[in-house]
Amino acid sequence: MSTKVTKIAVMTSGGDAPGMNAAVRAVVRACVFNNIECMGVLRGYQGLIDNELIPLDSRSVRNTISRGGTFLQTARSAAFRTPEGREQAYKNFKANGLDALIVIGGDGSFTGGMIFNKEFKVPVIGIPGTIDNDIYGTQFTLGYDTALNTVVEAIDKIRDTASSHNRLFFVEVMGRDAGFIALNAGIGAGAEEILIPEENLGIERLVESLENSKKSGKTSSIVVVAEGDKTGKGVFELKDYVEKNMPEYDVRVSVLGHMQRGGSPSCFDRVLAGRLGVKAVDLLLGGQSNLMVGINNNEITAINLEKAVKLHHDINMDLLRVADILSI
Ligand code: ATP
């Protein structure tokens, strides 16, 4: 039988993403709405081990909805991967009178939550927060939409300089082993080519395609490259290869880097954060656990955490065809 939930802990864990603050705010306000207490754990699982928790009420999350990053801070905790670390975390969890945990993060954070649940029967709900969108069970993760907008804005600016100089730009974007950011931002920014880990175009075909672009009258080109792409050994190798084989092009590289993770969350991410946070609290109050909340076809859904961690979120490969057609 599940114990009644009266005090919930919320934390952000793993890599930060825009919208995490909005999700914490939603969890806190849903707790207040339901007359239960809420505490914020600082620096993810490490904060639970070090007993760094703060009480949160409606007013403590004011002016957080528009802020990027995470005011609770986040960390990667090696200690939580050990039984001793988790034992210490549980001691603090109990000492603070907590009886459920909401983790905002990626699949590593959810794995930690599942283990915590298995060992100590702590009810856990996961909220997917990562700009990479690489989590199964949700069409959109928190921060992904904001990152897309950031990348499109950056590429628009790069396009201005590329077209003024007849340049070819390779723009490397984040996404780890997934091409969600590259493919969607590439289409959004009108890229000539998009290289993603899910499809190895081959370096010769890339050159062929760029030659066709040139023949069709294009004077500048943008190639968006996902950081996990396997066409070359990295964006700088691609540049060297194209420079050698297409000497007429003035080739430049722009690695967008961590600016993609920052910034004020988009309206989409704020609304998503609100809906996911409210659902996470609802599930705990309904006696549910070991679930990840997500959004599918504009409905807020929940799937087993284990499924979310183990299964793969596939990219929509039809978008590659759309990208090809639009870059003609
Ligand atoms: P991102 O997608 O940004 O990488 P993530 O949640 O996948 O986010 P990780 O660093 O993989 O980030 O995991 C976050 C934290 O979760 C780890 O630092 C660790 O404390 C905990 N964790 C991950 N895997 C495990 C595990 N197998 N056992 C216990 N804790 C774990």
Side-chain angles (χ1 to χ4, degrees):
M1 206 186 82
S2 58
T3 49
K4 196 167 173 282
V5 170
T6 59
K7 195 170 182 183
I8 292 176
V10 60
M11 68 162 69
T12 52
S13 170
D16 63 300
M20 281 184 160
N21 285 327
V24 171
R25 171 182 178 269
V27 167
V28 171
R29 294 201 170 165
C31 286
V32 173
F33 179 83
N34 287 289
N35 295 314
I36 60 169
E37 287 182 80
C38 186
M39 287 191 95
V41 185
L42 304 180
R43 298 186 303 110
Y45 291 114
Q46 193 57 44
L48 209 47
I49 293 171
D50 298 337
N51 202 20
E52 291 182 329
L53 294 97
I54 50 170
L56 294 172
D57 61 21
S58 271
R59 296 289 74 76
S60 38
V61 288
R62 76 178 131 208
N63 295 335
T64 56
I65 193 167
S66 59
R67 279 168 58 191
T70 158
F71 79 93
L72 289 179
Q73 300 198 291
T74 180
R76 300 196 196 267
S77 170
F80 195 77
R81 293 176 184 268
T82 66
E84 298 75 30
R86 293 192 295 273
E87 183 83 44
Q88 184 58 43
Y90 182 65
K91 272 190 195 147
N92 292 332
F93 190 82
K94 278 288 131 201
N96 281 287
L98 293 159
D99 36 37
L101 173 66
I102 294 176
V103 185
I104 306 165
D107 50 7
S109 303
F110 298 159
T111 304
M114 281 192 308
I115 295 172
F116 201 48
N117 168 271
K118 201 165 166 206
E119 290 178 343
F120 304 105
K121 307 281 168 277
V122 168
V124 175
I125 299 287
I127 297 181
T130 162
I131 63 165
D132 302 331
N133 206 36
D134 58 349
I135 295 185
Y136 182 84
T138 186
Q139 285 175 324
F140 303 104
T141 56
L142 282 182
Y144 170 59
D145 182 68
T146 305
L148 284 182
N149 287 306
T150 303
V151 171
V152 165
E153 202 183 319
I155 298 177
D156 284 348
K157 289 177 178 156
I158 291 169
R159 167 91 60 198
D160 288 346
T161 169
S163 54
S164 305
H165 290 273
N166 276 5
R167 273 181 181 154
L168 166 65
F169 263 89
F170 284 102
V171 182
E172 188 194 270
V173 302
M174 282 184 165
R176 287 192 296 201
D177 296 327
F180 290 97
I181 294 180
L183 188 49
N184 286 277
I187 292 174
E192 276 64 42
E193 275 298 341
I194 302 167
L195 307 181
I196 56 172
E198 290 84 350
E199 192 210 51
N200 188 346
L201 177 70
I203 206 156
E204 294 82 15
R205 272 200 42 218
L206 171 67
V207 170
E208 198 181 302
S209 157
L210 292 171
E211 268 160 0
N212 289 338
S213 279
K214 193 134 209 180
K215 275 188 211 139
S216 76
K218 291 196 180 186
T219 53
S220 68
S221 287
I222 302 279
V223 180
V224 175
V225 186
E227 63 183 344
D229 175 65
K230 296 172 185 72
T231 308
K233 286 198 189 84
V235 76
F236 289 98
E237 194 196 66
L238 290 175
K239 171 192 187 282
D240 291 345
Y241 188 89
V242 170
E243 253 175 357
K244 215 166 108 202
N245 289 276
M246 301 181 78
E248 68 277 23
Y249 261 128
D250 184 15
V251 189
R252 293 287 187 273
V253 167
S254 181
V255 178
L256 296 188
H258 283 79
M259 55 95 78
Q260 295 164 88
R261 282 214 187 165
S264 179
S266 65
C267 182
F268 179 88
D269 275 330
R270 296 180 198 195
V271 175
L272 180 61
R275 295 178 76 187
L276 295 179
V278 167
K279 180 72 173 185
V281 173
D282 283 347
L283 288 172
L284 287 173
L285 292 179
Q288 303 224 58
S289 170
N290 258 5
L291 296 170
M292 184 198 80
V293 289
I295 185 164
N296 291 288
N297 302 321
N298 204 24
E299 295 290 330
I300 300 301
T301 54
I303 65 157
N304 201 275
L305 267 183
E306 198 173 348
K307 237 176 157 182
V309 168
K310 287 203 173 138
L311 299 181
H312 189 258
H313 184 186
D314 291 327
I315 206 154
N316 179 357
M317 296 301 269
D318 285 350
L319 288 175
L320 274 177
R321 183 172 167 267
V322 172
D324 273 349
I325 291 171
L326 298 184
S327 64
I328 201 157

